[in-house]
Amino acid sequence: MRHNKKFNHLGRKKAHRDALLANLTISLILHKRIFTTLPKAKALRIYAEPIINRAKEDNTSNRRLVFSYLQSKEAVKELFGDIAVKIAERPGGYTRILKTGNRLGDNAQMCLIELVDYNENMLKAPAVKKTTRTRRSRKSAPKATAEAASAEVTESTAE
């Protein structure tokens, strides 16, 4: 029976899947964004966000637990150093998935998964928009010109 097994197996056995997700998480932490297929990115988000959440509290037990998942000293150092400072006040949702279209070879859905606090383009404050003028209906303009023309005609006939 498949009770409580709703995660995507990605066509791999457990050890292979864990190694894949650990390697993707290491790449995401070190490079801040990676380009992969959509199912892998969705599985990565479920795998990586609890690990990233551990970095909020820097203690020995959390470092050892994260290292047991990732097996990379550089990634753990980066996660508990630079990334932990940026995510300290964020309550969750550390990653963003942006769909980029389909791959040419096999038409697989591709996407870009990135850490939310590291996209400078989306972090910029939106530029202040100019005040736009309201668009007036053109229906009232012909009536006004027709009335003005008829008024001119009546003035010219009155003279």
Side-chain angles (χ1 to χ4, degrees):
M1 291 184 282
R2 289 192 72 244
H3 295 306
N4 200 19
K5 294 186 177 182
K6 294 184 180 178
F7 58 90
N8 192 345
H9 295 282
L10 300 173
R12 292 161 171 84
K13 296 199 184 280
K14 183 177 179 359
H16 189 185
R17 187 173 54 250
D18 287 342
L20 169 79
L21 292 173
N23 287 331
L24 286 173
T25 305
I26 291 167
S27 296
L28 180 65
I29 290 169
L30 294 178
H31 301 294
K32 310 304 187 263
R33 69 173 53 112
I34 56 174
F35 190 67
T36 184
T37 61
L38 188 62
K40 284 181 187 175
K42 288 181 178 180
L44 175 63
R45 179 173 52 191
I46 293 168
Y47 185 85
E49 293 218 1
I51 292 173
I52 295 171
N53 196 31
R54 288 272 179 191
K56 285 185 175 181
E57 186 180 348
D58 188 6
N59 55 30
T60 306
S61 63
N62 281 347
R63 281 184 178 262
R64 286 180 176 168
L65 189 68
V66 169
F67 184 76
S68 72
Y69 284 107
L70 299 183
Q71 297 293 315
S72 171
K73 289 182 182 179
E74 295 83 19
V76 172
K77 184 178 179 182
E78 179 76 19
L79 180 62
F80 280 89
D82 188 32
I83 295 174
V85 173
K86 287 201 172 195
I87 65 163
E89 68 278 352
R90 183 176 289 276
Y94 309 113
T95 58
R96 175 186 297 126
I97 295 176
L98 301 169
K99 295 179 184 176
T100 57
N102 293 347
R103 188 162 50 196
L104 289 177
D106 59 355
N107 207 30
Q109 290 179 319
M110 299 300 288
C111 68
L112 180 77
I113 183 167
E114 63 183 4
L115 294 175
V116 172
D117 295 321
Y118 284 90
N119 190 340
E120 291 81 17
N121 295 331
M122 290 191 168
L123 287 177
K124 290 180 184 174
V128 179
K129 291 186 176 182
K130 298 178 189 176
T131 56
T132 58
R133 294 177 284 165
T134 57
R135 299 199 67 179
R136 302 288 182 209
S137 175
R138 302 196 97 206
K139 293 177 183 176
S140 62
K143 286 183 183 177
T145 56
E147 290 173 3
S150 64
E152 289 176 11
V153 170
T154 54
E155 286 177 11
S156 63
T157 55
E159 292 176 357

